């Protein structure tokens, strides 16, 4: 996946979802989104699935990385 990385850490909803929406409009094949809270993770997962994307979630020291792909 080419995709780009959206760093939405430190941002409160709905901003991470809006940043994700803008990123997938620019890169419809998929993007990676980095967040730092469970609410943003769940909201982005819901948005991505409703938009037809598969979502892979990996949590590490840097935050929660969501990989959206077709």
């Amino acid at each position: 996946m080419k995709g780009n990385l959206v760093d939405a850490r430190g941002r409160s909803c709905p901003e991470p979802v809006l940043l994700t929406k803008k990123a997938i409009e620019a890169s419809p094949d998929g993007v990676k989104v980095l967040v730092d809270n469970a609410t943003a993770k769940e909201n982005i997962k819901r948005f991505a699935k409703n938009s037809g994307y598969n979502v892979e979630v990996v949590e590490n020291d840097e935050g929660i990385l969501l990989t959206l792909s077709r």
Side-chain angles (χ1 to χ4, degrees):
M1 179 189 73
K2 292 178 186 169
N4 56 347
L5 176 66
V6 176
D7 187 348
R9 292 175 295 182
R11 299 177 186 258
S12 56
C13 282
E15 199 171 3
V17 175
L18 297 175
L19 291 170
T20 302
K21 182 177 188 288
K22 184 182 277 190
I24 63 174
E25 287 170 358
S27 298
D29 289 338
V31 296
K32 293 179 186 253
V33 185
L34 190 58
V35 296
D36 58 6
N37 66 77
T39 302
K41 175 184 80 170
E42 293 305 319
N43 289 343
I44 290 169
K45 276 175 60 176
R46 188 177 317 113
F47 166 75
K49 288 178 189 270
N50 289 341
S51 300
Y53 286 84
N54 296 314
V55 181
E56 179 184 317
V57 179
V58 176
E59 299 190 29
N60 60 33
D61 293 342
E62 292 183 22
I64 305 164
L65 180 66
L66 297 96
T67 302
L68 284 57
S69 60
R70 288 276 185 199

